Amino acid sequence: MGKLTVLSGIRPTGYLHLGNYFGAVRSFVKMQNDYNCFFFIADIHSLTTHPTPEDLQSGVKQVLAEYLACGIDPEAATIFIQSDVPEVAELYTFLNMNAYLGELERTTSFKEKARKQPENVNAGLLTYPVLMAADIIIHKANFVPVGKDQEQNLEMARKFAKRFNRMYKKEVFPIPRPFTFDGGDMIKVPGLDGSGKMGKSEGNAINLYDTPKEIRKKVMRAVTDSGPTEMDQEKPEAIQNLFTLLKIVSTHDTVEHFDTLYNKCEIRYGDLKKQLAEDIIAYTSPIRGKIIDILEDEAYLAKVAKMGAEKARESASETLKEVKAVIGLKRLF
Ligand code: ADP
Ligand code: TRP
C-alpha cells in the first residue's frame, strides 16, 4: 500500500517560536519518513496582513532555513513555498464558489483577526479557510499536523472537501484529519504572560532563533503570583502555564520536583524559571546554530525551494486536472 499523505504549512511572518515547534514542526520531522509529506511556507496567506516586500522575502527565507534546521529533510519530504504552486490559487477560486458568507463570517479566527486589524478586514481574511482548504486538498492530504489554534480552520477544510465530493458525486478528495502523536489532544503551547497561547502576534513568543540571553530574559519576566498559601492548592493559569512549558521541555523528574515543592508551598518561582530557561536553551541552541549556518548558504536554500516547487507542482497539477474535469471545465468541442 502507498504511504498516506501529510501536509502542513506556516506563514512566514517572523521567527518560528516554541508554539510553532512543539505544535507543528516537531511532528513534521517525526512523520517525514513514514508518510508522503508536504511542508510549505504560506506566503500567500501572510498577504492578509500586508507585509512589505522586504519583510515577506526575508520571512520566507527565515522559515525555510528554520524548517531545515529543525530537521526536515528535503529528500524525505517536499518542502515548498506556496506561491511557487499557482495551481493552489486556481483551486481556491473554485472552492470559493461553494463557500458561504455566513459560515466564513462565523469562524473564530476571522472574528479575532477582524478585531485585531479593524482597518484591514479584507476578503482574503474572510476566505482564509478556503485557501487553507485548497492547500490541503490539492495534495489529497489525509493528515494535517497543526496546533490546537488551527482546529477550526481544519474543520472548515473538511467541510469544503466533503461538500465538493457530494456536489460532484465523486470521492475526489480524502477528508483530511488533524494529526496528533499518540492520539492525544492537539497541542497548545501557552505564553509566559499569564494567559493565552504563545504566538507571534501575541508578542509573547520565545523563538528558536533567540539567543540564550534573550531566552533567560523572557523566561525570568514570566508572570507569576505571590505563591501558594495552602497545601495542594490548584494552580492559577499563569503558574499552570509555566508548568505546561516545563512539561514540554524538561524531564519528568524536574516537573515532579517543582510540582512537589508547589504542593508543599515551598516553591521559589525564580528557581523554576532558571531551570525552565536552561531546558529551553538546551532545546533551541543546537537549532539556532544550524539556522545561522543555513541562512548563509543561499545556493542551498534556492536548490531546496526549486526541488520542492517541482515536486509540489507535479502533485497539484494532477489533482487540478481531475478537479476541472469533474467540474465540467473540460472542453467538449
Ligand atoms: P502564530 O500564531 O505565531 O502566528 P502560526 O499561526 O503561523 O503562528 O502557526 C503556525 C503553526 O504553529 C500552526 O500549525 C499552529 O497551530 C502552530 N502554533 C502556533 N502557535 C502555537 C501554540 N502556542 N501552541 C501550539 N501550536 C501553535
Ligand atoms: N493557517 C495556518 C496558520 O496560521 C497556516 C496554514 C495555511 C496551514 N495553510 C495551511 C496549515 C494548510 C496547515 C495546512 O498557522
Side-chain angles (χ1 to χ4, degrees):
M1 210 183 83
K3 287 179 179 176
L4 290 172
T5 299
V6 167
L7 176 136
S8 194
I10 295 188
R11 288 170 300 133
T13 48
Y15 301 112
L16 290 194
H17 53 74
L18 295 181
N20 300 138
Y21 184 71
F22 290 105
V25 182
R26 191 177 51 158
S27 313
F28 301 176
V29 177
K30 285 198 205 169
M31 302 177 88
Q32 62 185 349
N33 293 313
D34 300 328
Y35 296 87
N36 175 31
C37 288
F38 292 88
F39 301 124
F40 76 102
I41 300 169
D43 57 348
I44 306 180
H45 271 102
S46 70
L47 295 177
T48 58
T49 55
H50 301 174
T52 65
E54 293 74 25
D55 284 351
L56 183 58
Q57 277 173 328
S58 64
V60 169
K61 184 180 171 197
Q62 183 74 26
V63 177
L64 183 57
E66 293 186 326
Y67 270 170
L68 295 164
C70 287
I72 303 180
D73 170 4
E75 300 291 337
T78 300
I79 309 179
F80 68 100
I81 299 160
Q82 189 179 28
S83 60
D84 281 345
V85 184
E87 288 80 3
V88 81
E90 214 173 327
L91 180 58
Y92 166 61
T93 304
F94 302 148
L95 294 178
N96 266 330
M97 308 306 170
N98 304 311
Y100 296 96
L101 182 61
E103 63 189 347
L104 295 171
E105 274 176 339
R106 272 195 303 276
T107 58
T108 29
S109 59
F110 173 70
K111 285 194 277 191
E112 222 170 82
K113 286 194 179 131
R115 189 176 47 79
K116 268 193 204 154
Q117 48 181 73
E119 72 301 337
N120 179 21
V121 186
N122 58 63
L125 214 50
L126 183 72
T127 56
Y128 186 107
V130 186
L131 182 56
M132 179 157 159
D135 292 329
I136 298 169
I137 68 181
I138 204 160
H139 298 291
K140 301 197 173 188
N142 305 98
F143 293 113
V144 184
V146 281
K148 193 156 178 60
D149 58 313
Q150 294 298 312
E151 208 168 14
Q152 196 184 23
N153 282 337
L154 192 48
E155 202 43 58
M156 300 285 281
R158 290 165 59 81
K159 198 192 253 188
F160 296 137
K162 282 184 202 161
R163 190 175 288 166
F164 188 96
N165 290 347
R166 204 176 335 109
M167 183 157 175
Y168 295 105
K169 301 185 180 57
K170 191 157 187 266
E171 294 300 304
V172 177
F173 300 115
I175 309 306
R177 280 185 282 160
F179 188 93
T180 53
F181 274 95
D182 31 272
D185 276 342
M186 292 164 93
I187 290 182
K188 176 184 152 189
V189 178
L192 288 176
D193 43 2
S195 69
K197 72 155 196 163
M198 181 178 290
K200 270 163 279 205
S201 45
E202 272 63 37
N204 62 3
I206 297 179
N207 302 317
L208 299 176
Y209 197 57
D210 284 344
T211 60
K213 197 170 156 206
E214 282 167 322
I215 293 176
R216 288 190 191 103
K217 205 164 117 194
K218 287 181 181 179
V219 174
M220 294 318 280
R221 274 204 313 245
V223 172
T224 52
D225 58 13
S226 50
T229 49
E230 283 171 41
M231 304 283 268
D232 299 320
Q233 186 180 319
E234 204 182 310
K235 298 182 186 79
E237 190 179 1
I239 307 304
Q240 186 53 53
N241 286 350
L242 280 178
F243 274 90
T244 302
L245 268 174
L246 199 65
K247 255 187 218 140
I248 292 172
V249 295
S250 303
T251 62
H252 182 70
D253 287 351
T254 305
V255 179
E256 284 282 292
H257 169 72
F258 287 105
D259 204 40
T260 307
L261 289 177
Y262 185 88
N263 287 334
K264 291 197 293 190
C265 300
E266 286 170 12
I267 193 155
R268 291 203 315 223
Y269 290 134
D271 295 344
L272 188 162
K273 287 178 175 179
K274 266 191 207 132
Q275 180 74 43
L276 178 60
E278 295 317 307
D279 289 342
I280 291 174
I281 291 165
Y283 243 107
T284 55
S285 52
I287 300 177
R288 177 181 144 76
K290 286 185 198 145
I291 300 171
I292 292 170
D293 290 345
I294 296 171
L295 277 174
E296 279 177 15
D297 196 348
E298 290 197 346
Y300 176 60
L301 289 169
K303 192 176 121 199
V304 169
K306 183 161 176 278
M307 194 166 87
E310 281 165 10
K311 286 198 274 177
R313 281 201 81 171
E314 199 181 306
S315 153
S317 55
E318 206 174 299
T319 308
L320 197 62
K321 216 159 77 195
E322 186 184 352
V323 165
K324 288 173 94 167
V326 166
I327 292 180
L329 292 168
K330 206 169 133 184
R331 282 303 95 71
L332 292 176
F333 50 87

